């Protein structure tokens, strides 16, 4: 298992053994996330965010600061030379002179791979269009294991926008490496994209349906996603599915007492605020776990941890 210098582009590039190692190292990072460390002193992270973000960018930057490193970057491409027509490859070839690793978020599928192909430093995919968001999946798995004590044996429902939601694509690929039963709950028009479905169905039991109420009593993990309004090519199509699922206290009536609710966030209206105070709601703990996991990923790809 070699992580030093490695790009993190797709969950499909990782074995179960490698994912377990990332989760194990993350557990050892928990105390360092509280006390801080100088493990990455002198190292610089570049965050190149061509799309909006709160959690991914800020948690990577926080992770780097907690490890004693520093960061540069942008959250608004309009203030960069991309505005003058510079292409992504040239931007990456430039930034690799300034930084030891790069986190990229971009609307184009394949953009992280392209960046990794031209960069000499490790590139980490911070979200590529509707395609993948691997560091969120590591965070989700870490949260499941921390809260449920295991991943094998879990029954997990992915709910909402399974077509345009990139987090569910990465998470589904990862869960398919474990002994997990997966329920895919979405409106017909937002079903899991075919390439992902084909891969996961060949590995684990998968049920697709639109009935959340019938699914809730069966599951251990309810993973809710936002309908990705910004990715719909047609506003009328979005209007048809807007508000398709709303998790409130009534929805949760039939749930197992120890079921947990996750959400990569941001949420809009798919989880009512009244759910936040329930012991099942773990989505803000998931945010904390995102720092811990990203500390792990940075320390692994920069060779501070084996
Ligand atoms: N979960 C996630 O990717 O959140 P941001 O879009 O705020 O980074």
């Amino acid at each position: 298992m070699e992580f030093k210098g490695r790009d993190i582009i797709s969950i499909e590039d990782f074995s179960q053994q490698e994912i377990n190692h990332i989760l194990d190292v993350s557990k050892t990072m928990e105390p360092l996330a509280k006390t801080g460390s100088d493990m990455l002193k002198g190292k610089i992270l570049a965050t190149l965010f061509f799309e909006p973000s709160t959690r991914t960018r800020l948690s990577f930057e926080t992770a780097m600061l907690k490890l004693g490193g520093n960061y540069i970057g942008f959250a608004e491409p309009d203030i960069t030379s991309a505005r003058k027509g510079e292409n992504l490859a040239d931007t990456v070839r430039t930034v690799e002179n300034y930084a030891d690793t790069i986190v990229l978020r971009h609307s184009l599928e394949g953009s992280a791979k392209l960046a990794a192909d031209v960069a000499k430093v490790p590139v980490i995919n911070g979200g590529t269009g509707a395609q993948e968001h691997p560091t969120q999946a590591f965070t989700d798995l870490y949260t499941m294991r921390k809260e449920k004590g295991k991943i094998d044996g879990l029954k997990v429902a992915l709910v909402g926008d399974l077509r345009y939601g990139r987090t569910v694509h990465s998470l589904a690929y990862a869960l398919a490496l474990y002994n997990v039963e997966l329920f895919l709950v979405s409106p017909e028009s937002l079903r899991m994209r075919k390439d992902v479905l084909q891969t996961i169905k060949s590995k684990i039991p998968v049920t697709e349906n639109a009935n959340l109420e019938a699914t809730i009593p069966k599951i251990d993990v309810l993973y809710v996603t936002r309908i990705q309004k910004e990715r719909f090519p047609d506003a009328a199509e979005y209007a048809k599915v807007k508000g398709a699922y709303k998790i409130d206290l009534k929805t949760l009536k039939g749930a197992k007492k120890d079921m947990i609710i996750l959400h990569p966030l941001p949420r809009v209206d798919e989880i009512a605020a009244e759910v936040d105070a329930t012991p099942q709601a773990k989505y803000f703990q998931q945010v904390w776990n995102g720092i811990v996991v990203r500390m792990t990923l940075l320390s692994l790809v920069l060779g501070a941890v084996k």
Side-chain angles (χ1 to χ4, degrees), residues 52-56 105 133 136 264-266:
S53 168
T54 298
R55 278 146 292 270
T56 309
R105 172 170 286 190
H133 193 347
Q136 180 65 48
L265 304 177

Side-chain angles (χ1 to χ4, degrees), residues 16 71 105 161 185 194 209 223 225 240 254 277 279 293:
Q16 195 209 87
Y71 69 84
R105 172 170 286 190
D161 187 346
V185 183
K194 290 273 176 291
N209 70 62
Y223 188 95
T225 61
K240 284 185 202 163
V293 166

Side-chain angles (χ1 to χ4, degrees), residues 106-271:
H106 204 286
S107 59
L108 287 180
E109 296 192 7
S111 52
K113 170 83 170 66
L114 182 150
D117 286 347
V118 299
K120 293 184 200 80
V121 299
V123 170
I124 302 176
N125 179 357
T128 38
Q131 186 182 24
E132 271 216 57
H133 193 347
T135 71
Q136 180 65 48
F138 292 129
T139 301
D140 301 337
L141 294 174
Y142 182 66
T143 307
M144 283 182 207
R145 205 175 80 166
K146 191 168 154 183
E147 296 295 334
K148 304 296 296 176
K150 61 179 185 179
I151 298 172
D152 279 324
L154 292 178
K155 294 180 194 291
V156 180
L158 307 182
V159 178
D161 187 346
L162 309 185
R163 179 176 182 181
Y164 297 118
R166 55 191 168 204
T167 68
V168 284
H169 302 151
S170 293
L171 182 57
Y173 282 135
L175 289 172
L177 297 175
Y178 293 84
N179 177 22
V180 164
E181 185 174 351
L182 206 51
F183 297 84
L184 304 177
V185 183
S186 71
E188 183 71 32
S189 63
L190 296 181
R191 285 200 164 184
M192 182 62 85
R193 50 195 272 177
K194 290 273 176 291
D195 50 340
V196 181
L197 195 61
Q198 209 170 358
T199 303
I200 61 174
K201 268 191 159 170
S202 66
K203 297 177 178 170
I204 55 169
V206 178
T207 309
E208 285 187 282
N209 70 62
N211 190 338
L212 180 60
E213 236 170 66
T215 306
I216 284 218
K218 301 177 189 164
I219 56 174
D220 304 298
V221 180
L222 175 65
Y223 188 95
V224 187
T225 61
R226 176 179 66 91
I227 309 282
Q228 309 275 305
K229 181 181 180 186
E230 67 277 19
R231 307 222 184 270
F232 280 69
D234 180 350
E237 285 306 306
Y238 171 70
K240 284 185 202 163
V241 291
K242 181 178 184 291
Y245 297 102
K246 180 152 185 166
I247 316 294
D248 55 19
L249 294 181
K250 197 163 149 253
T251 325
L252 297 175
K253 276 234 157 70
K256 292 180 187 172
K257 286 274 173 294
D258 61 349
M259 183 193 82
I260 59 167
I261 306 166
L262 304 183
H263 191 311
L265 304 177
R267 78 172 143 182
V268 183
D269 55 6
E270 57 280 357
I271 301 181

Side-chain angles (χ1 to χ4, degrees), residues 57-109:
R57 185 174 62 84
L58 294 181
S59 63
F60 264 113
E61 292 172 354
T62 302
M64 199 60 182
L65 293 175
K66 280 179 182 284
L67 290 168
N70 223 318
Y71 69 84
I72 57 170
F74 57 81
E76 175 47 78
D78 267 0
I79 61 158
T80 75
S81 287
R83 179 83 188 271
K84 302 178 219 163
E86 183 170 61
N87 66 36
L88 179 61
D90 285 358
T91 301
V92 168
R93 282 191 198 107
T94 300
V95 172
E96 69 179 355
N97 291 280
Y98 310 143
D100 301 285
T101 180
I102 295 171
V103 179
L104 174 76
R105 172 170 286 190
H106 204 286
S107 59
L108 287 180
E109 296 192 7

